[in-house]
Amino acid sequence: MAVRIFYWDALENQPKTKASFWKFGQSQQGFQHGNAGDHFNLDLLQWAYPGQHAANVKDEGRRLLLVGSVAHRVLDGDIVCGIGSKHSTIPAADGLKIRVWGVRGPMTLDAFRQAGHDVSQLRFMGDPGVLIGKLYPDVLHIRAEAGNTIFIPHYRERFEHRSNRHYKVVSIDATPRAVAEEICRAEFVYTSSLHGLIWAHALGRPALLVSPQTDESLHKYRDYFLSIGKDFCLAASIDEALKSSKPNSSPDLSAMIGSVALPSAAELASAGILS
């Protein structure tokens, strides 16, 4: 049996023919594993619905939407259960019947409301990425290594940085578990990746958001900060981050972790999402 979901698959969406060149000792040939934040969908699905396979469905509705900034991709029959918006505009409710059961944050909730969708059935607010310690409980036993600081760049910047005396670069082109292990080994995390930040907080490591040096919108980052009740705070660049004062603790996400309520298998079957 399969659960119909949708997530952005970096491996599938990268060019089939790629020109490569060498930079910092790496061949820029696209993704090797995929964007860990998006591929977290697959591990989350296996954890929540053991034995079920994932069917990544792009162009038809009746899907479970869990993790990622894909609210602009909703289709008829979808169950929204944790995704976020990239901007304030999403498809209007006219002729589009979806169930909004969970959203990443209040900005996403407002986007659905403004588009005319019924949000009265909302069950939780929070990115399901906060469940990372539930999926990989063994990583919680990894101790931080003294002096170990890491930087997790946004995936578009993964070739623009290299490790140095200030930090070790951890690529988001990896399995979610591998990124989680690197976070747990760190005393401090710099990141321009949203899920790098969410996972650092969920795993109890202090972190500082670094503004992406691309055209990536800050909308999703603001949405997340609002969801955890914290002031939006970021450094303009990694160089500025190194000069900034660092948080000495991470937000307590235990209440959010406990609030994430995914649909039952019976509910998915009833909605035509599990078949």
Side-chain angles (χ1 to χ4, degrees), residues 45-229:
L45 186 82
Q46 286 295 308
W47 175 78
Y49 310 103
Q52 306 299 335
H53 299 288
N56 193 17
V57 181
K58 290 190 285 188
D59 300 321
E60 295 178 354
R62 292 184 294 111
R63 305 166 300 178
L64 178 62
L65 307 181
L66 294 168
V67 179
S69 299
V70 295
H72 60 292
R73 299 288 297 271
V74 293
L75 295 171
D76 190 52
D78 287 347
I79 294 180
V80 173
C81 207
I83 59 167
S85 55
K86 295 179 69 171
H87 36 66
S88 59
T89 303
I90 62 174
D94 298 339
L96 194 64
K97 185 176 181 181
I98 64 173
R99 299 177 218 195
V100 182
W101 287 357
V103 293
R104 180 173 57 214
M107 293 173 71
T108 297
L109 181 64
D110 189 58
F112 277 110
R113 184 184 292 115
Q114 291 297 322
H117 296 282
D118 179 9
V119 298
S120 63
Q121 299 181 58
L122 190 73
R123 299 179 178 184
F124 70 92
M125 183 179 294
D127 191 301
V130 300
L131 297 175
I132 192 162
K134 297 280 190 182
L135 270 65
Y136 322 123
D138 53 305
V139 306
L140 300 175
H141 301 294
I142 298 175
R143 293 186 178 182
E145 299 169 358
N148 184 22
T149 297
I150 65 173
F151 175 40
I152 310 173
H154 185 272
Y155 78 85
R156 290 197 182 102
E157 303 170 338
R158 66 192 187 281
F159 295 116
E160 302 302 319
H161 303 274
R162 58 177 169 178
S163 301
N164 55 52
R165 64 187 180 89
H166 299 294
Y167 51 77
K168 173 186 177 181
V169 172
V170 172
S171 178
I172 200 69
D173 178 11
T175 66
R177 176 187 284 275
V179 177
E181 290 172 352
E182 292 285 2
I183 289 171
C184 288
R185 292 189 190 101
E187 283 192 328
F188 192 83
V189 178
Y190 294 111
T191 181
S192 54
S193 160
L194 176 60
H195 279 97
L197 182 68
I198 292 172
W199 291 344
H201 288 168
L203 294 169
R205 295 297 185 267
L208 179 62
L209 177 64
V210 178
S211 181
Q213 305 302 295
T214 64
D215 60 357
E216 187 74 11
S217 171
L218 296 179
H219 179 98
K220 63 183 183 181
Y221 302 94
R222 295 181 185 277
D223 195 29
Y224 169 66
F225 271 92
L226 286 170
S227 76
I228 63 173

